[in-house]
PDB file of all heavy atoms in Angstrom:
ATOM      1  N   ASN A  21       0.843  -1.182   0.000  1.00 97.00           N
ATOM      2  CA  ASN A  21      -0.005  -0.007  -0.002  1.00 97.00           C
ATOM      3  C   ASN A  21       0.888   1.243  -0.003  1.00 97.00           C
ATOM      4  O   ASN A  21       1.928   1.276   0.651  1.00 97.00           O
ATOM      5  CB  ASN A  21      -0.906   0.020   1.216  1.00 97.00           C
ATOM      6  CG  ASN A  21      -2.063  -0.947   1.102  1.00 97.00           C
ATOM      7  OD1 ASN A  21      -2.339  -1.472   0.026  1.00 97.00           O
ATOM      8  ND2 ASN A  21      -2.741  -1.190   2.198  1.00 97.00           N
ATOM      9  N   THR A  22       0.458   2.275  -0.710  1.00 96.00           N
ATOM     10  CA  THR A  22       1.240   3.503  -0.783  1.00 96.00           C
ATOM     11  C   THR A  22       0.384   4.683  -0.334  1.00 96.00           C
ATOM     12  O   THR A  22      -0.829   4.707  -0.541  1.00 96.00           O
ATOM     13  CB  THR A  22       1.730   3.777  -2.213  1.00 96.00           C
ATOM     14  OG1 THR A  22       0.609   4.034  -3.064  1.00 96.00           O
ATOM     15  CG2 THR A  22       2.530   2.601  -2.745  1.00 96.00           C
ATOM     16  N   THR A  23       1.040   5.660   0.274  1.00 93.00           N
ATOM     17  CA  THR A  23       0.401   6.921   0.603  1.00 93.00           C
ATOM     18  C   THR A  23       1.049   8.006  -0.241  1.00 93.00           C
ATOM     19  O   THR A  23       2.136   7.854  -0.757  1.00 93.00           O
ATOM     20  CB  THR A  23       0.557   7.244   2.100  1.00 93.00           C
ATOM     21  OG1 THR A  23       1.953   7.222   2.441  1.00 93.00           O
ATOM     22  CG2 THR A  23      -0.187   6.230   2.951  1.00 93.00           C
ATOM     23  N   GLU A  24       0.354   9.107  -0.371  1.00 94.00           N
ATOM     24  CA  GLU A  24       0.847  10.154  -1.275  1.00 94.00           C
ATOM     25  C   GLU A  24       2.018  10.902  -0.669  1.00 94.00           C
ATOM     26  O   GLU A  24       2.245  10.885   0.538  1.00 94.00           O
ATOM     27  CB  GLU A  24      -0.266  11.113  -1.637  1.00 94.00           C
ATOM     28  CG  GLU A  24      -0.798  11.945  -0.472  1.00 94.00           C
ATOM     29  CD  GLU A  24      -1.921  12.856  -0.911  1.00 94.00           C
ATOM     30  OE1 GLU A  24      -2.851  12.396  -1.607  1.00 94.00           O
ATOM     31  OE2 GLU A  24      -1.876  14.052  -0.540  1.00 94.00           O
ATOM     32  N   TYR A  25       2.781  11.528  -1.552  1.00 93.00           N
ATOM     33  CA  TYR A  25       3.871  12.392  -1.120  1.00 93.00           C
ATOM     34  C   TYR A  25       3.692  13.740  -1.803  1.00 93.00           C
ATOM     35  O   TYR A  25       2.945  13.863  -2.777  1.00 93.00           O
ATOM     36  CB  TYR A  25       5.230  11.789  -1.470  1.00 93.00           C
ATOM     37  CG  TYR A  25       5.582  11.809  -2.946  1.00 93.00           C
ATOM     38  CD1 TYR A  25       6.369  12.826  -3.474  1.00 93.00           C
ATOM     39  CD2 TYR A  25       5.113  10.820  -3.804  1.00 93.00           C
ATOM     40  CE1 TYR A  25       6.674  12.865  -4.816  1.00 93.00           C
ATOM     41  CE2 TYR A  25       5.409  10.838  -5.158  1.00 93.00           C
ATOM     42  CZ  TYR A  25       6.197  11.864  -5.662  1.00 93.00           C
ATOM     43  OH  TYR A  25       6.489  11.890  -7.005  1.00 93.00           O
ATOM     44  N   GLY A  26       4.359  14.751  -1.289  1.00 91.00           N
ATOM     45  CA  GLY A  26       4.208  16.087  -1.861  1.00 91.00           C
ATOM     46  C   GLY A  26       2.846  16.674  -1.511  1.00 91.00           C
ATOM     47  O   GLY A  26       2.232  16.320  -0.512  1.00 91.00           O
ATOM     48  N   SER A  27       2.360  17.562  -2.377  1.00 92.00           N
ATOM     49  CA  SER A  27       1.126  18.275  -2.070  1.00 92.00           C
ATOM     50  C   SER A  27       0.063  18.128  -3.161  1.00 92.00           C
ATOM     51  O   SER A  27      -0.920  18.848  -3.157  1.00 92.00           O
ATOM     52  CB  SER A  27       1.430  19.768  -1.870  1.00 92.00           C
ATOM     53  OG  SER A  27       2.035  20.297  -3.046  1.00 92.00           O
ATOM     54  N   ASP A  28       0.273  17.193  -4.095  1.00 96.00           N
ATOM     55  CA  ASP A  28      -0.651  17.108  -5.215  1.00 96.00           C
ATOM     56  C   ASP A  28      -1.069  15.662  -5.511  1.00 96.00           C
ATOM     57  O   ASP A  28      -1.182  15.279  -6.669  1.00 96.00           O
ATOM     58  CB  ASP A  28      -0.021  17.746  -6.469  1.00 96.00           C
ATOM     59  CG  ASP A  28      -1.047  18.070  -7.548  1.00 96.00           C
ATOM     60  OD1 ASP A  28      -2.241  18.081  -7.237  1.00 96.00           O
ATOM     61  OD2 ASP A  28      -0.646  18.306  -8.708  1.00 96.00           O
ATOM     62  N   HIS A  29      -1.272  14.887  -4.468  1.00 96.00           N
ATOM     63  CA  HIS A  29      -1.820  13.532  -4.584  1.00 96.00           C
ATOM     64  C   HIS A  29      -0.969  12.612  -5.478  1.00 96.00           C
ATOM     65  O   HIS A  29      -1.508  11.785  -6.216  1.00 96.00           O
ATOM     66  CB  HIS A  29      -3.267  13.566  -5.088  1.00 96.00           C
ATOM     67  CG  HIS A  29      -4.155  14.507  -4.333  1.00 96.00           C
ATOM     68  ND1 HIS A  29      -4.330  14.425  -2.972  1.00 96.00           N
ATOM     69  CD2 HIS A  29      -4.896  15.574  -4.768  1.00 96.00           C
ATOM     70  CE1 HIS A  29      -5.161  15.389  -2.575  1.00 96.00           C
ATOM     71  NE2 HIS A  29      -5.504  16.089  -3.638  1.00 96.00           N
ATOM     72  N   GLN A  30       0.340  12.782  -5.410  1.00 97.00           N
ATOM     73  CA  GLN A  30       1.222  11.906  -6.158  1.00 97.00           C
ATOM     74  C   GLN A  30       1.636  10.708  -5.335  1.00 97.00           C
ATOM     75  O   GLN A  30       1.764  10.795  -4.097  1.00 97.00           O
ATOM     76  CB  GLN A  30       2.479  12.662  -6.596  1.00 97.00           C
ATOM     77  CG  GLN A  30       2.226  13.698  -7.687  1.00 97.00           C
ATOM     78  CD  GLN A  30       3.489  14.430  -8.051  1.00 97.00           C
ATOM     79  OE1 GLN A  30       3.815  15.443  -7.442  1.00 97.00           O
ATOM     80  NE2 GLN A  30       4.212  13.901  -9.021  1.00 97.00           N
ATOM     81  N   HIS A  31       1.858   9.596  -6.001  1.00 97.00           N
ATOM     82  CA  HIS A  31       2.335   8.370  -5.381  1.00 97.00           C
ATOM     83  C   HIS A  31       3.533   7.853  -6.171  1.00 97.00           C
ATOM     84  O   HIS A  31       3.628   8.085  -7.378  1.00 97.00           O
ATOM     85  CB  HIS A  31       1.248   7.291  -5.391  1.00 97.00           C
ATOM     86  CG  HIS A  31       0.109   7.548  -4.488  1.00 97.00           C
ATOM     87  ND1 HIS A  31      -0.176   6.745  -3.394  1.00 97.00           N
ATOM     88  CD2 HIS A  31      -0.845   8.511  -4.509  1.00 97.00           C
ATOM     89  CE1 HIS A  31      -1.256   7.209  -2.783  1.00 97.00           C
ATOM     90  NE2 HIS A  31      -1.690   8.274  -3.450  1.00 97.00           N
ATOM     91  N   LYS A  32       4.437   7.209  -5.469  1.00 97.00           N
ATOM     92  CA  LYS A  32       5.498   6.505  -6.174  1.00 97.00           C
ATOM     93  C   LYS A  32       5.994   5.377  -5.273  1.00 97.00           C
ATOM     94  O   LYS A  32       5.881   5.429  -4.047  1.00 97.00           O
ATOM     95  CB  LYS A  32       6.675   7.413  -6.544  1.00 97.00           C
ATOM     96  CG  LYS A  32       7.475   7.970  -5.374  1.00 97.00           C
ATOM     97  CD  LYS A  32       8.638   8.814  -5.875  1.00 97.00           C
ATOM     98  CE  LYS A  32       9.399   9.445  -4.714  1.00 97.00           C
ATOM     99  NZ  LYS A  32      10.525  10.277  -5.182  1.00 97.00           N
ATOM    100  N   TYR A  33       6.511   4.343  -5.935  1.00 98.00           N
ATOM    101  CA  TYR A  33       7.082   3.244  -5.180  1.00 98.00           C
ATOM    102  C   TYR A  33       8.299   2.735  -5.940  1.00 98.00           C
ATOM    103  O   TYR A  33       8.235   2.500  -7.154  1.00 98.00           O
ATOM    104  CB  TYR A  33       6.070   2.111  -4.995  1.00 98.00           C
ATOM    105  CG  TYR A  33       6.622   1.028  -4.086  1.00 98.00           C
ATOM    106  CD1 TYR A  33       6.664   1.225  -2.714  1.00 98.00           C
ATOM    107  CD2 TYR A  33       7.128  -0.153  -4.612  1.00 98.00           C
ATOM    108  CE1 TYR A  33       7.199   0.269  -1.873  1.00 98.00           C
ATOM    109  CE2 TYR A  33       7.659  -1.122  -3.772  1.00 98.00           C
ATOM    110  CZ  TYR A  33       7.708  -0.898  -2.411  1.00 98.00           C
ATOM    111  OH  TYR A  33       8.253  -1.842  -1.568  1.00 98.00           O
ATOM    112  N   ASN A  34       9.391   2.585  -5.217  1.00 98.00           N
ATOM    113  CA  ASN A  34      10.637   2.089  -5.808  1.00 98.00           C
ATOM    114  C   ASN A  34      10.721   0.590  -5.554  1.00 98.00           C
ATOM    115  O   ASN A  34      10.936   0.160  -4.419  1.00 98.00           O
ATOM    116  CB  ASN A  34      11.845   2.819  -5.211  1.00 98.00           C
ATOM    117  CG  ASN A  34      13.116   2.519  -5.961  1.00 98.00           C
ATOM    118  OD1 ASN A  34      13.120   2.526  -7.191  1.00 98.00           O
ATOM    119  ND2 ASN A  34      14.195   2.257  -5.247  1.00 98.00           N
ATOM    120  N   ILE A  35      10.505  -0.187  -6.604  1.00 98.00           N
ATOM    121  CA  ILE A  35      10.566  -1.641  -6.489  1.00 98.00           C
ATOM    122  C   ILE A  35      12.028  -2.057  -6.427  1.00 98.00           C
ATOM    123  O   ILE A  35      12.838  -1.670  -7.266  1.00 98.00           O
ATOM    124  CB  ILE A  35       9.879  -2.319  -7.690  1.00 98.00           C
ATOM    125  CG1 ILE A  35       8.411  -1.877  -7.785  1.00 98.00           C
ATOM    126  CG2 ILE A  35       9.960  -3.830  -7.581  1.00 98.00           C
ATOM    127  CD1 ILE A  35       7.692  -2.373  -9.028  1.00 98.00           C
ATOM    128  N   THR A  36      12.386  -2.866  -5.443  1.00 98.00           N
ATOM    129  CA  THR A  36      13.760  -3.316  -5.264  1.00 98.00           C
ATOM    130  C   THR A  36      13.826  -4.831  -5.383  1.00 98.00           C
ATOM    131  O   THR A  36      12.824  -5.518  -5.490  1.00 98.00           O
ATOM    132  CB  THR A  36      14.319  -2.866  -3.906  1.00 98.00           C
ATOM    133  OG1 THR A  36      13.523  -3.457  -2.868  1.00 98.00           O
ATOM    134  CG2 THR A  36      14.270  -1.340  -3.774  1.00 98.00           C
ATOM    135  N   GLY A  37      15.053  -5.339  -5.365  1.00 98.00           N
ATOM    136  CA  GLY A  37      15.256  -6.781  -5.388  1.00 98.00           C
ATOM    137  C   GLY A  37      14.985  -7.435  -6.744  1.00 98.00           C
ATOM    138  O   GLY A  37      14.737  -8.645  -6.819  1.00 98.00           O
ATOM    139  N   LEU A  38      15.044  -6.653  -7.817  1.00 98.00           N
ATOM    140  CA  LEU A  38      14.796  -7.190  -9.146  1.00 98.00           C
ATOM    141  C   LEU A  38      16.001  -7.966  -9.647  1.00 98.00           C
ATOM    142  O   LEU A  38      17.129  -7.703  -9.252  1.00 98.00           O
ATOM    143  CB  LEU A  38      14.472  -6.065 -10.122  1.00 98.00           C
ATOM    144  CG  LEU A  38      13.294  -5.141  -9.761  1.00 98.00           C
ATOM    145  CD1 LEU A  38      13.196  -3.996 -10.739  1.00 98.00           C
ATOM    146  CD2 LEU A  38      11.998  -5.939  -9.707  1.00 98.00           C
ATOM    147  N   THR A  39      15.748  -8.901 -10.548  1.00 98.00           N
ATOM    148  CA  THR A  39      16.821  -9.624 -11.214  1.00 98.00           C
ATOM    149  C   THR A  39      17.141  -8.915 -12.526  1.00 98.00           C
ATOM    150  O   THR A  39      16.256  -8.762 -13.370  1.00 98.00           O
ATOM    151  CB  THR A  39      16.414 -11.072 -11.513  1.00 98.00           C
ATOM    152  OG1 THR A  39      16.108 -11.727 -10.274  1.00 98.00           O
ATOM    153  CG2 THR A  39      17.550 -11.828 -12.207  1.00 98.00           C
ATOM    154  N   PRO A  40      18.374  -8.416 -12.719  1.00 98.00           N
ATOM    155  CA  PRO A  40      18.692  -7.670 -13.938  1.00 98.00           C
ATOM    156  C   PRO A  40      18.323  -8.424 -15.202  1.00 98.00           C
ATOM    157  O   PRO A  40      18.492  -9.638 -15.299  1.00 98.00           O
ATOM    158  CB  PRO A  40      20.199  -7.475 -13.834  1.00 98.00           C
ATOM    159  CG  PRO A  40      20.463  -7.452 -12.351  1.00 98.00           C
ATOM    160  CD  PRO A  40      19.511  -8.460 -11.785  1.00 98.00           C
ATOM    161  N   GLY A  41      17.774  -7.691 -16.153  1.00 98.00           N
ATOM    162  CA  GLY A  41      17.401  -8.250 -17.444  1.00 98.00           C
ATOM    163  C   GLY A  41      16.097  -9.016 -17.475  1.00 98.00           C
ATOM    164  O   GLY A  41      15.675  -9.483 -18.533  1.00 98.00           O
ATOM    165  N   THR A  42      15.420  -9.142 -16.339  1.00 98.00           N
ATOM    166  CA  THR A  42      14.201  -9.935 -16.236  1.00 98.00           C
ATOM    167  C   THR A  42      12.970  -9.051 -16.460  1.00 98.00           C
ATOM    168  O   THR A  42      12.922  -7.914 -16.028  1.00 98.00           O
ATOM    169  CB  THR A  42      14.105 -10.617 -14.860  1.00 98.00           C
ATOM    170  OG1 THR A  42      15.224 -11.469 -14.684  1.00 98.00           O
ATOM    171  CG2 THR A  42      12.814 -11.414 -14.711  1.00 98.00           C
ATOM    172  N   LYS A  43      11.959  -9.614 -17.147  1.00 98.00           N
ATOM    173  CA  LYS A  43      10.717  -8.856 -17.360  1.00 98.00           C
ATOM    174  C   LYS A  43       9.800  -9.005 -16.148  1.00 98.00           C
ATOM    175  O   LYS A  43       9.621 -10.109 -15.621  1.00 98.00           O
ATOM    176  CB  LYS A  43      10.005  -9.334 -18.622  1.00 98.00           C
ATOM    177  CG  LYS A  43       8.757  -8.510 -18.939  1.00 98.00           C
ATOM    178  CD  LYS A  43       8.188  -8.820 -20.294  1.00 98.00           C
ATOM    179  CE  LYS A  43       6.967  -7.948 -20.589  1.00 98.00           C
ATOM    180  NZ  LYS A  43       6.438  -8.166 -21.960  1.00 98.00           N
ATOM    181  N   TYR A  44       9.223  -7.878 -15.758  1.00 98.00           N
ATOM    182  CA  TYR A  44       8.286  -7.859 -14.616  1.00 98.00           C
ATOM    183  C   TYR A  44       6.972  -7.204 -15.054  1.00 98.00           C
ATOM    184  O   TYR A  44       6.939  -6.378 -15.976  1.00 98.00           O
ATOM    185  CB  TYR A  44       8.874  -7.069 -13.447  1.00 98.00           C
ATOM    186  CG  TYR A  44      10.009  -7.762 -12.747  1.00 98.00           C
ATOM    187  CD1 TYR A  44      11.312  -7.638 -13.220  1.00 98.00           C
ATOM    188  CD2 TYR A  44       9.793  -8.575 -11.637  1.00 98.00           C
ATOM    189  CE1 TYR A  44      12.377  -8.291 -12.591  1.00 98.00           C
ATOM    190  CE2 TYR A  44      10.830  -9.231 -11.013  1.00 98.00           C
ATOM    191  CZ  TYR A  44      12.123  -9.087 -11.501  1.00 98.00           C
ATOM    192  OH  TYR A  44      13.163  -9.756 -10.865  1.00 98.00           O
ATOM    193  N   TYR A  45       5.913  -7.592 -14.352  1.00 98.00           N
ATOM    194  CA  TYR A  45       4.594  -7.011 -14.555  1.00 98.00           C
ATOM    195  C   TYR A  45       4.176  -6.330 -13.271  1.00 98.00           C
ATOM    196  O   TYR A  45       4.539  -6.764 -12.176  1.00 98.00           O
ATOM    197  CB  TYR A  45       3.593  -8.113 -14.917  1.00 98.00           C
ATOM    198  CG  TYR A  45       3.925  -8.865 -16.174  1.00 98.00           C
ATOM    199  CD1 TYR A  45       4.856  -9.915 -16.147  1.00 98.00           C
ATOM    200  CD2 TYR A  45       3.353  -8.535 -17.389  1.00 98.00           C
ATOM    201  CE1 TYR A  45       5.182 -10.609 -17.310  1.00 98.00           C
ATOM    202  CE2 TYR A  45       3.657  -9.220 -18.560  1.00 98.00           C
ATOM    203  CZ  TYR A  45       4.592 -10.254 -18.498  1.00 98.00           C
ATOM    204  OH  TYR A  45       4.908 -10.938 -19.646  1.00 98.00           O
ATOM    205  N   TYR A  46       3.396  -5.254 -13.402  1.00 98.00           N
ATOM    206  CA  TYR A  46       2.915  -4.576 -12.187  1.00 98.00           C
ATOM    207  C   TYR A  46       1.468  -4.123 -12.378  1.00 98.00           C
ATOM    208  O   TYR A  46       0.986  -3.968 -13.498  1.00 98.00           O
ATOM    209  CB  TYR A  46       3.820  -3.390 -11.815  1.00 98.00           C
ATOM    210  CG  TYR A  46       3.772  -2.238 -12.788  1.00 98.00           C
ATOM    211  CD1 TYR A  46       2.888  -1.177 -12.594  1.00 98.00           C
ATOM    212  CD2 TYR A  46       4.620  -2.183 -13.881  1.00 98.00           C
ATOM    213  CE1 TYR A  46       2.837  -0.095 -13.470  1.00 98.00           C
ATOM    214  CE2 TYR A  46       4.591  -1.115 -14.766  1.00 98.00           C
ATOM    215  CZ  TYR A  46       3.691  -0.068 -14.554  1.00 98.00           C
ATOM    216  OH  TYR A  46       3.642   0.983 -15.441  1.00 98.00           O
ATOM    217  N   ARG A  47       0.808  -3.934 -11.247  1.00 98.00           N
ATOM    218  CA  ARG A  47      -0.581  -3.454 -11.235  1.00 98.00           C
ATOM    219  C   ARG A  47      -0.708  -2.401 -10.145  1.00 98.00           C
ATOM    220  O   ARG A  47      -0.316  -2.630  -8.996  1.00 98.00           O
ATOM    221  CB  ARG A  47      -1.538  -4.605 -10.947  1.00 98.00           C
ATOM    222  CG  ARG A  47      -3.027  -4.191 -10.897  1.00 98.00           C
ATOM    223  CD  ARG A  47      -3.898  -5.348 -10.454  1.00 98.00           C
ATOM    224  NE  ARG A  47      -3.559  -5.757  -9.097  1.00 98.00           N
ATOM    225  CZ  ARG A  47      -3.630  -7.010  -8.664  1.00 98.00           C
ATOM    226  NH1 ARG A  47      -3.978  -7.994  -9.479  1.00 98.00           N
ATOM    227  NH2 ARG A  47      -3.298  -7.298  -7.407  1.00 98.00           N
ATOM    228  N   VAL A  48      -1.237  -1.244 -10.504  1.00 98.00           N
ATOM    229  CA  VAL A  48      -1.498  -0.183  -9.540  1.00 98.00           C
ATOM    230  C   VAL A  48      -2.992  -0.046  -9.369  1.00 98.00           C
ATOM    231  O   VAL A  48      -3.732   0.116 -10.359  1.00 98.00           O
ATOM    232  CB  VAL A  48      -0.885   1.155  -9.995  1.00 98.00           C
ATOM    233  CG1 VAL A  48      -1.295   2.287  -9.056  1.00 98.00           C
ATOM    234  CG2 VAL A  48       0.636   1.046 -10.064  1.00 98.00           C
ATOM    235  N   THR A  49      -3.478  -0.109  -8.131  1.00 96.00           N
ATOM    236  CA  THR A  49      -4.895   0.014  -7.833  1.00 96.00           C
ATOM    237  C   THR A  49      -5.123   1.360  -7.155  1.00 96.00           C
ATOM    238  O   THR A  49      -4.510   1.667  -6.132  1.00 96.00           O
ATOM    239  CB  THR A  49      -5.381  -1.129  -6.926  1.00 96.00           C
ATOM    240  OG1 THR A  49      -5.139  -2.373  -7.593  1.00 96.00           O
ATOM    241  CG2 THR A  49      -6.858  -0.995  -6.629  1.00 96.00           C
ATOM    242  N   MET A  50      -6.003   2.159  -7.771  1.00 93.00           N
ATOM    243  CA  MET A  50      -6.321   3.508  -7.294  1.00 93.00           C
ATOM    244  C   MET A  50      -7.827   3.546  -7.088  1.00 93.00           C
ATOM    245  O   MET A  50      -8.565   3.642  -8.064  1.00 93.00           O
ATOM    246  CB  MET A  50      -5.891   4.542  -8.332  1.00 93.00           C
ATOM    247  CG  MET A  50      -4.418   4.502  -8.678  1.00 93.00           C
ATOM    248  SD  MET A  50      -4.018   5.272 -10.277  1.00 93.00           S
ATOM    249  CE  MET A  50      -4.395   3.913 -11.394  1.00 93.00           C
TER     250      MET A  50
END
């Protein structure tokens, strides 16, 4: 789960632990 940062309802998440060169899929629910 993410909460907003800044003052304009922005969200971001830094995904870590990835395997270099590997394809990943993601889903953001708002």
